[in-house]
Amino acid sequence: MIIALNNKSNIEKEEFKNYLEELKTIRTNETVIVCPTFLNIGMVSNLNVKLGAQNVSINENGAYTGEISASQLKSYQVQYTIVGHSERREYQKETDIEINQKIKQLLKNQITPILCVGETLEERKQNKVKEIIEREISIATTDLTDQEKSKIIIAYEPIWSIGTGIIPTNEQIIEVFDMIKTAMPNSNILYGGSANENNIDQLKQISTIDGYLLGGLSLKVDKLKVFLEKLN
Ligand code: PGA
């Protein structure tokens, strides 16, 4: 399984040193990917887990103040990068077209994109889940070959589930995973949104889940360990 840890805008420099020590005590056969803030990425070395980023520039190196390019990420041994997280779509007004540009930059630099898709509660109530998921995937993967598409990991993150403690029913997750599988037959698909050590027993009943994108739980390594133990 793929377990991606999204630290979001959390953990300061000194605290991150302790966090890395804690991560080193994790014993698991799963592929664990830590996605720290950009500032903390440079502090990671000799880690037992893989390294990811939370965002990337749409451009290559150049005059783009404040941006970080895919080739710069690669130079720090970043192997995965989250793109299109709902928080970026909402607060940074990131568009599907920009997400497509970011994915292209990542693939050009042999970094695996973790593309987040998901609906708001309003959209779910209006029966728009299929429309939203299909649109987000279709625009984000514009101009990509099937081979390139297969390299993308999709994270289904219902927006109403992120940080709320509420998770969808297994039936709801299975339904959306089937939609994603139809659009991206060769991609790994993760579930994200309030996944934790308490609800993993329910979530792990779903055979199509290839892994998890964890926000809040990524900050609590003791609980993360319980989660990883329960996965087996
Ligand atoms: P959460 O966040 O696990 O805290 O709900 C998941 C995410 O936003 O990636």
Side-chain angles (χ1 to χ4, degrees):
M1 290 235 155
I2 299 163
I3 312 296
L5 309 177
N6 180 6
N7 288 169
K8 306 193 179 181
S9 192
N10 291 299
I11 317 187
E12 290 166 13
K13 188 177 175 185
E14 291 307 315
E15 204 186 333
F16 191 70
K17 289 181 189 160
N18 298 333
Y19 180 73
L20 286 179
E21 290 308 314
E22 285 182 6
L23 283 187
K24 281 182 187 158
T25 65
I26 290 178
R27 302 274 170 270
T28 178
N29 293 326
E30 319 299 344
T31 303
V32 179
I33 306 160
V34 64
C35 305
T37 62
F38 285 132
L39 284 171
N40 289 342
I41 279 181
M43 290 167 65
V44 179
S45 64
N46 298 326
L47 202 57
N48 52 330
V49 301
K50 295 186 185 299
L51 185 57
Q54 299 173 20
N55 184 34
V56 67
S57 172
I58 60 170
N59 297 300
E60 298 185 355
N61 289 354
Y64 305 103
T65 304
E67 292 295 309
I68 293 174
S69 71
S71 67
Q72 288 178 311
L73 291 179
K74 193 181 168 193
S75 74
Y76 276 84
Q77 283 77 49
V78 167
Q79 290 176 271
Y80 299 82
T81 296
I82 299 169
V83 280
H85 192 283
S86 60
E87 287 153 11
R88 295 200 57 83
R89 292 179 191 261
E90 182 180 354
Y91 307 133
Q92 270 68 41
K93 304 285 172 249
E94 203 165 281
T95 66
D96 289 312
I97 292 170
E98 286 166 333
I99 292 162
N100 174 244
Q101 293 171 308
K102 292 180 181 200
I103 288 177
K104 287 175 180 165
Q105 289 293 338
L106 293 171
L107 291 175
K108 211 191 282 180
N109 288 279
Q110 297 82 45
I111 297 173
T112 303
I114 303 176
L115 167 64
C116 300
V117 297
E119 80 289 354
T120 63
L121 195 55
E122 200 55 35
E123 287 160 346
R124 176 163 282 277
K125 284 183 185 153
Q126 294 168 353
N127 278 324
K128 286 188 178 161
V129 179
K130 190 164 187 282
E131 183 189 320
I132 299 293
I133 301 290
E134 285 180 352
R135 191 202 64 218
E136 287 180 338
I137 291 179
S138 149
I139 303 176
T141 60
T142 302
D143 300 331
L144 300 186
T145 64
D146 285 346
Q147 207 212 348
E148 286 171 325
K149 284 187 195 176
S150 69
K151 293 185 180 143
I152 300 173
I153 297 173
I154 306 284
Y156 171 51
E157 297 208 305
I159 295 166
W160 48 279
S161 199
I162 296 175
T164 60
I166 301 165
I167 60 167
T169 63
N170 284 11
E171 290 67 31
Q172 287 172 322
I173 295 175
I174 290 167
E175 192 183 22
V176 177
F177 267 54
D178 286 348
M179 291 171 197
I180 297 172
K181 254 296 166 259
T182 306
M184 301 287 282
N186 301 313
S187 288
N188 281 311
I189 312 175
L190 315 183
Y191 170 77
S194 294
N196 61 35
E197 77 286 8
N198 298 318
N199 54 33
I200 186 59
D201 294 318
Q202 178 197 319
L203 289 167
K204 77 175 187 187
Q205 307 300 326
I206 305 173
S207 63
T208 43
I209 290 184
D210 298 309
Y212 297 89
L213 179 52
L214 306 172
L217 199 68
S218 80
L219 306 174
K220 301 171 197 146
V221 178
D222 50 336
K223 291 187 177 167
L224 173 63
K225 283 182 180 172
V226 178
F227 179 93
L228 290 167
E229 275 162 28
K230 286 193 178 182
L231 267 184
N232 299 308

